[in-house]
Amino acid sequence: MPVTHLKINGVEVPDTGIPNSGSVNLRPMGEEGAGATSHHCLTIDKLRDGTTDQWEPYDVLKNDWAVAPVRTSVPRSLFGPSGETSNDAANNTDEGLVHDQPTGLKVTVPGPEADGDPVAVFADKLAIEDLHLTGNPENKVLPVVNTAPSGPKAHRGGTTVRDDVAKDLLASSARRGAVTAVLTAAGLPFDDLDDDLGPLAAAIRDLYTDPPLLVDARGH
């Protein structure tokens, strides 16, 4: 819809390419649609200083915001001259369009500005310490070369706990299946909620136990 008048926070905005005068034709309405106006109204508020819930109008022009219309082509059949006939529109050389019509608004905030205060970074904040990963007995990060392993040797644990969990899953699956069968016989099918837990029970027996997730104290 072409725009004929522009207001920001209730005030007409000059020098935007939208004249705040003139009219637009609504061709399908015939003579009644001739000379119509289209008002584009934009409201921009900001928080009042020192508050968290009180808003006030923000003057974008005084704060160097850029305001410019968005222009495009609109259908001549909708916004062409109201007295124009279909044949006139068809014989026009503008491809059935009314060109360069303001249809919206682009508002751009100003770019950042330096406040004049330099950013100070002191040398001690950038200081570094040499890190020796081998050959230094005082190194506290990694063991030096050929350090003997300490602590108990890693080993693969038993399967008792995993076996118990797998058995419980299979038992739960069987009980759930029995309940589902009764409900289905009563006319309340729940087949989609009775997925077989057998594959999960089988996976639990080997979950997180395959090499190389298990290493000994030497890291081999």
Side-chain angles (χ1 to χ4, degrees):
M1 178 75 182
V3 178
T4 61
H5 294 70
L6 168 65
K7 289 184 178 181
I8 297 181
N9 291 338
V11 179
E12 289 187 352
V13 181
D15 303 325
T16 62
I18 298 177
N20 288 313
S21 62
S23 61
V24 61
N25 292 319
L26 304 179
R27 185 179 164 198
M29 296 178 63
E31 295 300 327
E32 293 183 0
T37 58
S38 171
H39 294 255
H40 191 124
C41 301
L42 177 65
T43 299
I44 300 178
D45 293 335
K46 77 175 187 70
L47 277 173
R48 185 167 297 162
D49 292 342
T51 70
T52 59
D53 58 356
Q54 298 181 25
W55 297 85
E56 61 185 5
Y58 184 70
D59 193 329
V60 297
L61 298 182
K62 286 185 178 181
N63 289 278
D64 298 325
W65 289 34
V67 179
V70 175
R71 295 182 174 274
T72 187
S73 300
V74 297
R76 191 179 187 89
S77 59
L78 296 178
F79 303 107
S82 58
E84 187 177 59
T85 66
S86 298
N87 288 334
D88 293 334
N91 294 328
N92 199 284
T93 60
D94 58 10
E95 299 179 347
L97 298 172
V98 181
H99 297 288
D100 197 33
Q101 297 297 300
T103 57
L105 193 64
K106 180 180 180 180
V107 180
T108 306
V109 301
E113 295 182 359
D115 61 5
D117 295 330
V119 177
V121 180
F122 299 98
D124 60 333
K125 302 300 183 182
L126 300 177
I128 63 173
E129 295 182 1
D130 292 335
L131 181 62
H132 301 284
L133 300 182
T134 59
N136 183 357
E138 296 181 359
N139 168 46
K140 303 298 183 182
V141 180
L142 294 175
V144 298
V145 175
N146 298 326
T147 299
S150 60
K153 184 178 180 179
H155 64 279
R156 194 181 300 273
T159 62
T160 302
V161 174
R162 294 195 297 275
D163 288 343
D164 290 343
V165 173
K167 290 178 181 178
D168 288 344
L169 278 174
L170 292 174
S172 297
S173 182
R175 289 193 298 270
R176 190 175 64 181
V179 172
T180 301
V182 172
L183 292 174
T184 301
L188 300 172
F190 284 92
D191 294 341
D192 56 338
L193 300 179
D194 187 28
D195 292 337
D196 183 17
L197 297 180
L200 178 58
I204 284 178
R205 301 180 189 275
D206 296 320
L207 197 63
Y208 300 132
T209 64
D210 294 336
L213 295 175
L214 185 65
V215 297
D216 61 24
R218 291 180 181 273
H220 295 160

PDB file of all heavy atoms in Angstrom, residues 133-137 139 142-150 217-220:
ATOM      1  N   LEU A 133      56.382 -29.291  30.132  1.00  0.00           N
ATOM      2  CA  LEU A 133      55.618 -30.516  30.313  1.00  0.00           C
ATOM      3  C   LEU A 133      56.494 -31.729  30.541  1.00  0.00           C
ATOM      4  O   LEU A 133      56.002 -32.759  30.979  1.00  0.00           O
ATOM      5  CB  LEU A 133      54.734 -30.760  29.079  1.00  0.00           C
ATOM      6  CG  LEU A 133      53.711 -29.664  28.767  1.00  0.00           C
ATOM      7  CD1 LEU A 133      52.879 -30.053  27.560  1.00  0.00           C
ATOM      8  CD2 LEU A 133      52.818 -29.409  29.968  1.00  0.00           C
ATOM      9  N   THR A 134      57.761 -31.648  30.249  1.00  0.00           N
ATOM     10  CA  THR A 134      58.634 -32.811  30.443  1.00  0.00           C
ATOM     11  C   THR A 134      59.948 -32.367  31.076  1.00  0.00           C
ATOM     12  O   THR A 134      60.414 -31.237  30.866  1.00  0.00           O
ATOM     13  CB  THR A 134      58.954 -33.511  29.101  1.00  0.00           C
ATOM     14  OG1 THR A 134      59.599 -32.581  28.224  1.00  0.00           O
ATOM     15  CG2 THR A 134      57.676 -34.024  28.447  1.00  0.00           C
ATOM     16  N   GLY A 135      60.522 -33.247  31.883  1.00  0.00           N
ATOM     17  CA  GLY A 135      61.864 -33.028  32.407  1.00  0.00           C
ATOM     18  C   GLY A 135      61.969 -32.081  33.573  1.00  0.00           C
ATOM     19  O   GLY A 135      63.068 -31.830  34.065  1.00  0.00           O
ATOM     20  N   ASN A 136      60.867 -31.541  34.047  1.00  0.00           N
ATOM     21  CA  ASN A 136      60.936 -30.597  35.168  1.00  0.00           C
ATOM     22  C   ASN A 136      60.260 -31.212  36.387  1.00  0.00           C
ATOM     23  O   ASN A 136      59.044 -31.370  36.402  1.00  0.00           O
ATOM     24  CB  ASN A 136      60.251 -29.288  34.776  1.00  0.00           C
ATOM     25  CG  ASN A 136      60.345 -28.229  35.874  1.00  0.00           C
ATOM     26  OD1 ASN A 136      60.875 -28.491  36.951  1.00  0.00           O
ATOM     27  ND2 ASN A 136      59.840 -27.049  35.591  1.00  0.00           N
ATOM     28  N   PRO A 137      61.020 -31.549  37.434  1.00  0.00           N
ATOM     29  CA  PRO A 137      60.411 -32.187  38.607  1.00  0.00           C
ATOM     30  C   PRO A 137      59.356 -31.313  39.288  1.00  0.00           C
ATOM     31  O   PRO A 137      58.489 -31.825  39.999  1.00  0.00           O
ATOM     32  CB  PRO A 137      61.606 -32.434  39.535  1.00  0.00           C
ATOM     33  CG  PRO A 137      62.803 -32.405  38.638  1.00  0.00           C
ATOM     34  CD  PRO A 137      62.488 -31.442  37.552  1.00  0.00           C
ATOM     35  N   ASN A 139      57.120 -29.581  37.779  1.00  0.00           N
ATOM     36  CA  ASN A 139      55.935 -29.486  36.944  1.00  0.00           C
ATOM     37  C   ASN A 139      54.741 -30.135  37.650  1.00  0.00           C
ATOM     38  O   ASN A 139      54.816 -31.262  38.150  1.00  0.00           O
ATOM     39  CB  ASN A 139      56.189 -30.186  35.594  1.00  0.00           C
ATOM     40  CG  ASN A 139      54.916 -30.366  34.810  1.00  0.00           C
ATOM     41  OD1 ASN A 139      54.125 -29.437  34.709  1.00  0.00           O
ATOM     42  ND2 ASN A 139      54.714 -31.552  34.279  1.00  0.00           N
ATOM     43  N   LEU A 142      51.565 -32.265  34.094  1.00  0.00           N
ATOM     44  CA  LEU A 142      51.627 -33.614  33.562  1.00  0.00           C
ATOM     45  C   LEU A 142      52.837 -34.322  34.150  1.00  0.00           C
ATOM     46  O   LEU A 142      53.839 -33.683  34.501  1.00  0.00           O
ATOM     47  CB  LEU A 142      51.743 -33.592  32.030  1.00  0.00           C
ATOM     48  CG  LEU A 142      50.546 -33.044  31.260  1.00  0.00           C
ATOM     49  CD1 LEU A 142      50.866 -32.980  29.778  1.00  0.00           C
ATOM     50  CD2 LEU A 142      49.323 -33.900  31.497  1.00  0.00           C
ATOM     51  N   PRO A 143      52.776 -35.624  34.304  1.00  0.00           N
ATOM     52  CA  PRO A 143      53.945 -36.344  34.809  1.00  0.00           C
ATOM     53  C   PRO A 143      55.106 -36.271  33.830  1.00  0.00           C
ATOM     54  O   PRO A 143      54.905 -36.198  32.618  1.00  0.00           O
ATOM     55  CB  PRO A 143      53.429 -37.778  34.964  1.00  0.00           C
ATOM     56  CG  PRO A 143      52.282 -37.861  34.008  1.00  0.00           C
ATOM     57  CD  PRO A 143      51.655 -36.505  34.013  1.00  0.00           C
ATOM     58  N   VAL A 144      56.293 -36.234  34.391  1.00  0.00           N
ATOM     59  CA  VAL A 144      57.469 -36.208  33.532  1.00  0.00           C
ATOM     60  C   VAL A 144      57.609 -37.554  32.835  1.00  0.00           C
ATOM     61  O   VAL A 144      56.949 -38.540  33.182  1.00  0.00           O
ATOM     62  CB  VAL A 144      58.734 -35.890  34.351  1.00  0.00           C
ATOM     63  CG1 VAL A 144      58.625 -34.528  34.972  1.00  0.00           C
ATOM     64  CG2 VAL A 144      58.944 -36.951  35.421  1.00  0.00           C
ATOM     65  N   VAL A 145      58.482 -37.589  31.848  1.00  0.00           N
ATOM     66  CA  VAL A 145      58.667 -38.803  31.061  1.00  0.00           C
ATOM     67  C   VAL A 145      59.097 -39.961  31.968  1.00  0.00           C
ATOM     68  O   VAL A 145      59.882 -39.798  32.907  1.00  0.00           O
ATOM     69  CB  VAL A 145      59.718 -38.556  29.971  1.00  0.00           C
ATOM     70  CG1 VAL A 145      60.025 -39.845  29.223  1.00  0.00           C
ATOM     71  CG2 VAL A 145      59.229 -37.496  29.004  1.00  0.00           C
ATOM     72  N   ASN A 146      58.559 -41.156  31.697  1.00  0.00           N
ATOM     73  CA  ASN A 146      58.907 -42.393  32.393  1.00  0.00           C
ATOM     74  C   ASN A 146      58.469 -42.409  33.852  1.00  0.00           C
ATOM     75  O   ASN A 146      59.003 -43.163  34.660  1.00  0.00           O
ATOM     76  CB  ASN A 146      60.421 -42.664  32.318  1.00  0.00           C
ATOM     77  CG  ASN A 146      60.887 -42.853  30.881  1.00  0.00           C
ATOM     78  OD1 ASN A 146      60.154 -43.397  30.060  1.00  0.00           O
ATOM     79  ND2 ASN A 146      62.087 -42.373  30.578  1.00  0.00           N
ATOM     80  N   THR A 147      57.516 -41.561  34.215  1.00  0.00           N
ATOM     81  CA  THR A 147      56.990 -41.612  35.582  1.00  0.00           C
ATOM     82  C   THR A 147      56.201 -42.906  35.764  1.00  0.00           C
ATOM     83  O   THR A 147      55.366 -43.263  34.935  1.00  0.00           O
ATOM     84  CB  THR A 147      56.077 -40.410  35.851  1.00  0.00           C
ATOM     85  OG1 THR A 147      56.842 -39.221  35.708  1.00  0.00           O
ATOM     86  CG2 THR A 147      55.496 -40.473  37.247  1.00  0.00           C
ATOM     87  N   ALA A 148      56.473 -43.581  36.854  1.00  0.00           N
ATOM     88  CA  ALA A 148      55.782 -44.852  37.111  1.00  0.00           C
ATOM     89  C   ALA A 148      54.310 -44.587  37.413  1.00  0.00           C
ATOM     90  O   ALA A 148      53.975 -43.620  38.107  1.00  0.00           O
ATOM     91  CB  ALA A 148      56.449 -45.576  38.265  1.00  0.00           C
ATOM     92  N   PRO A 149      53.404 -45.421  36.907  1.00  0.00           N
ATOM     93  CA  PRO A 149      51.982 -45.242  37.209  1.00  0.00           C
ATOM     94  C   PRO A 149      51.704 -45.487  38.689  1.00  0.00           C
ATOM     95  O   PRO A 149      52.417 -46.222  39.358  1.00  0.00           O
ATOM     96  CB  PRO A 149      51.297 -46.293  36.326  1.00  0.00           C
ATOM     97  CG  PRO A 149      52.340 -47.332  36.092  1.00  0.00           C
ATOM     98  CD  PRO A 149      53.645 -46.601  36.035  1.00  0.00           C
ATOM     99  N   SER A 150      50.678 -44.827  39.184  1.00  0.00           N
ATOM    100  CA  SER A 150      50.290 -44.995  40.580  1.00  0.00           C
ATOM    101  C   SER A 150      48.802 -45.269  40.646  1.00  0.00           C
ATOM    102  O   SER A 150      48.061 -45.000  39.709  1.00  0.00           O
ATOM    103  CB  SER A 150      50.637 -43.739  41.387  1.00  0.00           C
ATOM    104  OG  SER A 150      49.952 -42.611  40.874  1.00  0.00           O
ATOM    105  N   ALA A 217      46.254 -47.786  34.192  1.00  0.00           N
ATOM    106  CA  ALA A 217      46.936 -46.646  34.792  1.00  0.00           C
ATOM    107  C   ALA A 217      48.058 -46.110  33.939  1.00  0.00           C
ATOM    108  O   ALA A 217      48.496 -44.979  34.089  1.00  0.00           O
ATOM    109  CB  ALA A 217      47.461 -47.019  36.177  1.00  0.00           C
ATOM    110  N   ARG A 218      48.558 -46.915  33.010  1.00  0.00           N
ATOM    111  CA  ARG A 218      49.638 -46.450  32.147  1.00  0.00           C
ATOM    112  C   ARG A 218      49.101 -45.679  30.922  1.00  0.00           C
ATOM    113  O   ARG A 218      49.870 -45.146  30.144  1.00  0.00           O
ATOM    114  CB  ARG A 218      50.478 -47.640  31.647  1.00  0.00           C
ATOM    115  CG  ARG A 218      51.285 -48.302  32.743  1.00  0.00           C
ATOM    116  CD  ARG A 218      52.088 -49.451  32.180  1.00  0.00           C
ATOM    117  NE  ARG A 218      52.854 -50.113  33.222  1.00  0.00           N
ATOM    118  CZ  ARG A 218      54.070 -49.743  33.601  1.00  0.00           C
ATOM    119  NH1 ARG A 218      54.624 -48.696  33.013  1.00  0.00           N
ATOM    120  NH2 ARG A 218      54.702 -50.373  34.552  1.00  0.00           N
ATOM    121  N   GLY A 219      47.793 -45.656  30.792  1.00  0.00           N
ATOM    122  CA  GLY A 219      47.221 -44.963  29.653  1.00  0.00           C
ATOM    123  C   GLY A 219      47.277 -45.737  28.377  1.00  0.00           C
ATOM    124  O   GLY A 219      47.158 -45.181  27.279  1.00  0.00           O
ATOM    125  N   HIS A 220      47.465 -47.067  28.428  1.00  0.00           N
ATOM    126  CA  HIS A 220      47.540 -47.902  27.228  1.00  0.00           C
ATOM    127  C   HIS A 220      46.158 -48.430  26.875  1.00  0.00           C
ATOM    128  O   HIS A 220      45.351 -48.692  27.755  1.00  0.00           O
ATOM    129  CB  HIS A 220      48.489 -49.091  27.464  1.00  0.00           C
ATOM    130  CG  HIS A 220      49.908 -48.631  27.689  1.00  0.00           C
ATOM    131  ND1 HIS A 220      50.846 -49.426  28.313  1.00  0.00           N
ATOM    132  CD2 HIS A 220      50.527 -47.476  27.414  1.00  0.00           C
ATOM    133  CE1 HIS A 220      51.991 -48.769  28.389  1.00  0.00           C
ATOM    134  NE2 HIS A 220      51.817 -47.569  27.843  1.00  0.00           N
TER     135      HIS A 220
END
